[in-house]
Amino acid sequence: VTHNFTLTYTSNAKFPEADVIVFTANNISWGIKLTFESGQRSNSKLSLELIAGTGYGQEELDGVEVVVKGFTTTDYTYNYSNTDSNFAILKAVPTITTSHIVSIIIDGHSYSIDLSKHFNKFEAGKEYKLKGTVNKSGLTEISIGTITDWTDGGTGSGDFEY
């Protein structure tokens, strides 16, 4: 008789419910050491870079509110930082629709990016990079950076006796 095991792990205490990595060990017999390697991420990552355009200085973008909508029933909100990583860990979705939006709120103005104009899906284990220039008149020069494998913080291995 053999058994299959799944180990669910989070590599990021800041986002424990979102940054989920799943490891599996299959066809394990009694008394064999289980080894978990090569975990797979369950979610996707959206990285955002904001560039100050006409009417704003880069320092004014530090601390602006960023709201990501449409991936869960609750909006994901964080404050943008000129010096730290700016990202949201999001549920992987097979189809991006017009309800998937990133809003930047600065000086009482809300500027939105319709993600369906830039991506058609968000896959588990992928990082999607987005860059936009913020002008007083709105967001311009929105561009997709790269779509890459999301590797930071996602490795590890371990074992235990069954």
Side-chain angles (χ1 to χ4, degrees):
V1 172
T2 61
H3 301 276
N4 299 325
F5 294 88
T6 301
L7 171 67
T8 303
Y9 163 81
T10 182
S11 66
N12 189 332
K14 186 175 178 182
F15 305 104
E17 71 287 345
D19 190 10
V20 176
I21 303 169
V22 177
F23 297 85
T24 58
N26 295 315
N27 300 317
I28 305 299
S29 299
W30 178 262
I32 302 296
K33 181 169 48 171
L34 279 70
T35 301
F36 295 95
E37 296 178 348
S38 302
Q40 302 296 314
R41 290 193 183 274
S42 298
N43 298 309
S44 56
K45 179 179 181 179
L46 173 66
S47 296
L48 178 64
E49 181 182 359
L50 297 177
I51 306 297
T54 305
Y56 288 116
Q58 193 65 36
E59 69 282 354
E60 293 176 275
L61 299 181
D62 198 41
V64 301
E65 185 176 359
V66 177
V67 182
V68 182
K69 301 176 182 183
F71 287 87
T72 63
T73 55
T74 306
D75 295 343
Y76 177 84
T77 303
Y78 70 95
N79 291 328
Y80 187 83
S81 170
N82 285 323
T83 56
D84 291 331
S85 299
N86 291 284
F87 61 88
I89 299 172
L90 305 169
K91 178 180 166 185
V93 292
T95 305
I96 297 295
T97 67
T98 56
S99 67
H100 296 99
I101 294 171
V102 175
S103 294
I104 294 104
I105 302 163
I106 182 170
D107 291 336
H109 301 285
S110 180
Y111 306 109
S112 295
I113 302 169
D114 177 351
L115 293 176
S116 70
K117 293 181 179 178
H118 304 283
F119 305 104
N120 56 16
K121 62 184 171 183
F122 270 43
E123 292 181 80
K126 298 287 184 187
E127 179 177 8
Y128 298 80
K129 295 182 181 180
L130 192 62
K131 181 177 183 177
T133 301
V134 182
N135 299 299
K136 288 268 185 184
S137 61
L139 282 168
T140 60
E141 299 176 31
I142 297 167
S143 63
I144 299 171
T146 55
I147 299 172
T148 58
D149 290 335
W150 175 18
T151 56
D152 62 310
T155 60
S157 64
D159 55 62
F160 66 90
E161 287 290 326
Y162 167 60

